[in-house]
């Protein structure tokens, strides 16, 4: 029987019993489906051409808070408390230091809530809980604080191209702030979006064709017919349906926990262990595919997520997409996998940590990621292992890849081998993330004799590693080069939307930058 334990509404308890799923998971899915319908209504009847920004902000916020109350009951007040106190910090502290105080408070408040939820209420349960939405709100609070600091305190020449494009030049009103943090499109599952993109959407400027004016400022040239998101939404809903079907029918028959079953460990051959490890972690991913793709579809249905047109004139609706399934499953490097998994969180980590860290940016970024995810020991084991795997994969790639570019047959062999190694390494790394606790995690690693840990450390000891150029002069040169590239690319994007001009440049440069940063 489905459990009756929930902090939210029990109205859907009969449905929960019928489908044999926990009531909080049923509440989550039903609320997301309701949000999808609300998004269609929002785009149709509260379009920016028909109503004011004030009304759009109010409705988006109230609908979001209603969904939060339905799913999490009065625990949803944490969303308002966290957002409200952070806004007061922004106003009181001022733009010079508010980003630091907001970062410490928002992350600290999230951690306290996670400790309370995990160690007092339901340790080890994967149920939907209020700390999940708080993780997204924490990202938004900290991102916006840094964007305001960059836009209102720092000089333009001190900023990278992406920081300059995302910089916020005025303090948001309380309504704008709450709407950004708690709107119905993203309150339950995100994904993270930049504040400028969200305000552009609310104000109805997403489809304006722009050109670069004097001093790099945007000037509206004319407007293009607003593209319909219907095709993109339908495609993403199909992916959701397939992912959910796979999860309900296959995933439960291939539990990750079976990797530490004593009988399996004692009797299975090494090829069998490797194959089951890969398949069990492969089966664990569709639930994330479902949740993130549905969240993306909801935003698209409301008209949010447009990223301009491709070279064929086809509208792109992947501005805030959180994953690329094909690239994930066909990854031939650790970096490629991470580049396409939880994309918006990766960008957040890069923006608020990696590119601002002065010492060991990769390690600091993995530590922040672990703290943000929660307080289960398995998270920290996964991310500490991830540091070793990332640095080792970077060293291997830098030292050997150039030998296998040509001929095509050799490149194909290299791709096959690196695909196998990458999928096994990723699976090995994330097992503690699923098992959560220390004892079963070490049981798994000991059953593998810590083989990939040892291999990764040996690679780092034996192979030369390229040092990151993070000195002051080098950093200034990189910023100037990026600024020039940003200006040149900005001049060539007149055919795209306001959102495209701000975000294609940002995301393309950020993705390119990650080739030498967080996820190499």
């Amino acid at each position: 029987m489905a459990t009756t334990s929930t902090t939210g509404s029990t109205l859907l308890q009969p449905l929960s019993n019928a489908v044999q799923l926990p009531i909080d998971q049923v509440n989550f899915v039903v609320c997301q489906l309701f949000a999808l319908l609300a998004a269609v209504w929002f785009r149709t009847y509260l379009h920016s051409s028909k109503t004011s920004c004030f009304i759009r902000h109010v409705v988006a916020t109230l609908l979001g808070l209603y969904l939060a109350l339905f799913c999490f009951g009065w625990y949803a007040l944490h969303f308002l408390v966290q957002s409200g106190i952070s806004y007061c910090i922004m106003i009181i502290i001022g733009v010079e230091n508010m980003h630091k105080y907001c970062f410490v408070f928002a992350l600290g408040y999230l951690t306290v809530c996670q400790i309370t939820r995990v160690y007092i209420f339901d340790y080890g349960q994967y149920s939907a809980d209020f700390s999940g939405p708080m993780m997204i709100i924490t990202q938004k609070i900290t991102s916006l604080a840094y964007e305001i600091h960059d836009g209102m305190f720092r000089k333009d020449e001190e900023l990278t191209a992406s920081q300059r494009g995302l910089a916020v030049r005025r303090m948001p009103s309380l309504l704008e702030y709450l709407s950004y943090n708690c709107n119905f499109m993203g309150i339950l599952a995100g994904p993270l979006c930049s504040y400028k993109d969200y305000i552009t959407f609310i104000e109805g400027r997403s489809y304006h064709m722009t050109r670069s004016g004097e001093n790099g400022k945007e000037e509206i040239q004319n407007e293009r017919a607003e593209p319909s998101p219907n095709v993109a939404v339908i495609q993403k809903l199909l992916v959701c349906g397939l992912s959910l079907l796979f999860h309900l029918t296959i995933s439960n028959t291939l539990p990750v926990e079976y990797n530490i079953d004593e009988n399996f460990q004692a009797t299975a051959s090494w090829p069998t262990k490797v194959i089951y490890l890969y398949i069990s972690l492969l089966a664990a991913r569709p639930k994330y595919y479902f949740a993130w793709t549905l969240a993306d579809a909801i935003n698209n249905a409301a008209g949010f997520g447009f990223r301009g047109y491709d070279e064929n004139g086809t509208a792109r609706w992947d501005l805030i997409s959180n994953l690329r399934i094909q690239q994930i499953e066909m990854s031939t490097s650790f970096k490629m996998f991470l580049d396409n998994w939880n994309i918006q969180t990766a960008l957040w980590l890069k923006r608020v940590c990696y590119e601002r860290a002065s010492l060991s940016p990769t390690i600091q970024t993995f530590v922040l990621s672990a703290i943000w995810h929660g307080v289960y020991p398995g998270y920290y084991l996964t991310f500490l292992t991830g540091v070793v795997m990332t640095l080792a994969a970077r060293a291997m790639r830098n030292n050997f890849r150039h030998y296998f570019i040509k001929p095509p047959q050799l490149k194909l062999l290299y791709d096959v081998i690196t695909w196998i190694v990458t999928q096994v390494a990723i699976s090995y790394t994330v097992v503690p993330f699923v098992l959560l606790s220390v004892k079963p995690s070490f049981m798994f690693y000991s059953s593998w004799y810590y083989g990939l840990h040892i291999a990764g450390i040996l690679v780092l000891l034996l192979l030369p590693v390229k040092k990151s150029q993070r000195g002051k002069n080098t950093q200034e040169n990189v910023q100037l080069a990026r600024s020039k590239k940003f200006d040149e690319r900005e001049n060539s994007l007149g055919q795209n939307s306001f959102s495209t001009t701000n975000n294609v440049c940002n995301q393309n440069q950020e993705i390119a930058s990650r080739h030498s940063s967080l996820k190499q």
Side-chain angles (χ1 to χ4, degrees), residues 6-212:
T6 181
T7 57
S9 172
T10 58
L11 181 65
L12 300 176
Q13 186 65 56
L15 178 60
S16 172
N17 294 333
V19 298
Q20 295 292 300
L21 288 174
I23 178 64
D24 49 5
Q25 293 183 14
V26 172
N27 283 350
F28 172 82
V29 173
V30 170
C31 282
Q32 285 292 76
L33 294 177
F34 173 81
L36 180 65
L37 297 176
V40 175
W41 171 81
F42 190 83
R43 179 168 59 91
T44 304
Y45 295 101
L46 291 184
H47 192 275
S48 58
S49 63
K50 300 178 181 179
T51 189
S52 67
C53 297
F54 176 81
I55 297 298
R56 282 164 65 85
H57 277 305
V58 169
V59 172
T61 305
L62 292 179
L63 281 175
L65 293 176
Y66 171 75
L67 294 179
L69 284 170
F70 189 91
C71 278
F72 312 113
W74 293 109
Y75 285 96
L77 289 177
H78 284 292
F79 307 162
L80 290 176
V81 171
Q82 187 186 33
S83 298
I85 295 178
S86 296
Y87 188 77
C88 291
I89 291 174
M90 289 168 54
I91 298 298
I92 295 172
I93 299 299
V95 295
E96 181 177 358
N97 293 308
M98 67 172 189
H99 59 300
K100 300 176 183 178
Y101 287 91
C102 282
F103 182 88
V104 172
F105 167 75
L107 194 63
Y109 193 92
L110 171 66
T111 301
V112 170
C113 288
Q114 288 172 329
I115 291 173
T116 302
R117 200 272 298 176
V118 169
Y119 291 105
I120 296 180
F121 295 111
D122 58 350
Y123 186 96
Q125 299 299 313
Y126 265 119
S127 59
D129 68 275
F130 68 95
S131 67
M134 284 188 67
M135 294 168 70
I136 305 298
I137 293 175
T138 298
Q139 288 183 336
K140 292 183 176 181
I141 289 172
T142 53
S143 293
L144 180 54
Y146 276 100
E147 289 161 6
I148 294 174
H149 172 73
D150 290 342
M152 298 181 65
F153 179 76
R154 298 176 67 190
K155 298 178 181 179
D156 276 1
E157 55 268 24
E158 298 174 348
L159 306 176
T160 65
S162 61
Q163 289 171 350
R164 192 182 305 112
L166 294 170
V168 176
R169 307 294 179 178
R170 69 170 181 85
M171 191 69 68
S173 69
L174 180 59
L175 176 60
E176 290 171 331
Y177 191 74
L178 290 177
S179 176
Y180 172 58
N181 286 339
C182 301
N183 67 81
F184 74 95
M185 299 171 292
I187 192 169
L188 298 184
L192 171 69
C193 62
S194 78
Y195 176 78
K196 288 182 71 172
D197 287 332
Y198 181 73
I199 294 300
T200 297
F201 156 71
I202 289 292
E203 294 178 353
R205 294 183 285 116
S206 299
Y207 313 105
H208 291 173
M209 294 174 63
T210 60
R211 64 183 177 187
S212 180

Side-chain angles (χ1 to χ4, degrees), residues 476-506:
E476 290 176 352
N477 292 338
V478 170
Q479 289 173 358
L480 290 173
R482 287 178 175 175
S483 176
K484 182 178 180 181
K485 182 183 289 186
F486 177 86
D487 292 336
E488 292 173 351
R489 189 173 297 181
E490 193 176 41
N491 288 332
S492 68
L493 287 177
Q495 64 188 33
N496 291 333
S497 67
F498 180 92
S499 177
T500 304
T501 306
N502 280 316
N503 297 291
V504 170
C505 292
N506 296 338

Side-chain angles (χ1 to χ4, degrees), residues 94-341:
V95 295
E96 181 177 358
N97 293 308
M98 67 172 189
H99 59 300
K100 300 176 183 178
Y101 287 91
C102 282
F103 182 88
V104 172
F105 167 75
L107 194 63
Y109 193 92
L110 171 66
T111 301
V112 170
C113 288
Q114 288 172 329
I115 291 173
T116 302
R117 200 272 298 176
V118 169
Y119 291 105
I120 296 180
F121 295 111
D122 58 350
Y123 186 96
Q125 299 299 313
Y126 265 119
S127 59
D129 68 275
F130 68 95
S131 67
M134 284 188 67
M135 294 168 70
I136 305 298
I137 293 175
T138 298
Q139 288 183 336
K140 292 183 176 181
I141 289 172
T142 53
S143 293
L144 180 54
Y146 276 100
E147 289 161 6
I148 294 174
H149 172 73
D150 290 342
M152 298 181 65
F153 179 76
R154 298 176 67 190
K155 298 178 181 179
D156 276 1
E157 55 268 24
E158 298 174 348
L159 306 176
T160 65
S162 61
Q163 289 171 350
R164 192 182 305 112
L166 294 170
V168 176
R169 307 294 179 178
R170 69 170 181 85
M171 191 69 68
S173 69
L174 180 59
L175 176 60
E176 290 171 331
Y177 191 74
L178 290 177
S179 176
Y180 172 58
N181 286 339
C182 301
N183 67 81
F184 74 95
M185 299 171 292
I187 192 169
L188 298 184
L192 171 69
C193 62
S194 78
Y195 176 78
K196 288 182 71 172
D197 287 332
Y198 181 73
I199 294 300
T200 297
F201 156 71
I202 289 292
E203 294 178 353
R205 294 183 285 116
S206 299
Y207 313 105
H208 291 173
M209 294 174 63
T210 60
R211 64 183 177 187
S212 180
E214 295 181 2
N215 301 321
K217 295 183 178 180
E218 301 294 342
E219 296 178 351
I220 296 177
Q221 187 174 10
N222 52 37
E223 295 185 18
R224 195 177 208 174
E226 181 175 326
S228 171
N230 293 340
V231 173
V233 171
I234 291 172
Q235 290 174 341
K236 291 174 183 179
L237 291 180
L238 289 175
V239 172
C240 289
L242 293 174
S243 300
L244 183 60
L245 179 64
F246 188 95
H247 174 66
L248 295 176
T249 58
I250 304 297
S251 297
N252 292 334
T253 65
L254 298 167
V256 176
E257 291 77 8
Y258 191 64
N259 284 283
I260 59 173
D261 180 81
E262 293 183 0
N263 183 62
F264 177 75
Q265 290 182 359
T267 60
S269 63
W270 270 106
T272 301
K273 289 182 179 180
V274 172
I275 292 172
Y276 187 80
L277 173 67
Y278 167 68
I279 293 177
S280 63
L281 269 298
L282 173 66
R285 291 198 279 266
K287 64 182 178 183
Y288 297 101
Y289 295 165
F290 168 77
W292 289 341
T293 305
L294 179 57
D296 195 16
I298 291 169
N299 282 273
N300 291 170
F304 186 31
F306 175 67
R307 194 160 73 93
Y309 300 88
D310 62 18
E311 61 276 6
N312 298 319
T314 303
R316 301 182 62 181
W317 289 91
D318 59 349
L319 174 64
I320 55 174
S321 295
N322 220 10
L323 76 168
R324 304 182 187 96
I325 297 175
Q326 182 178 353
Q327 287 86 335
I328 288 171
E329 301 302 344
M330 299 304 294
S331 295
T332 57
S333 69
F334 214 85
K335 179 193 69 63
M336 182 178 175
F337 186 99
L338 296 176
D339 277 349
N340 294 287
W341 173 269

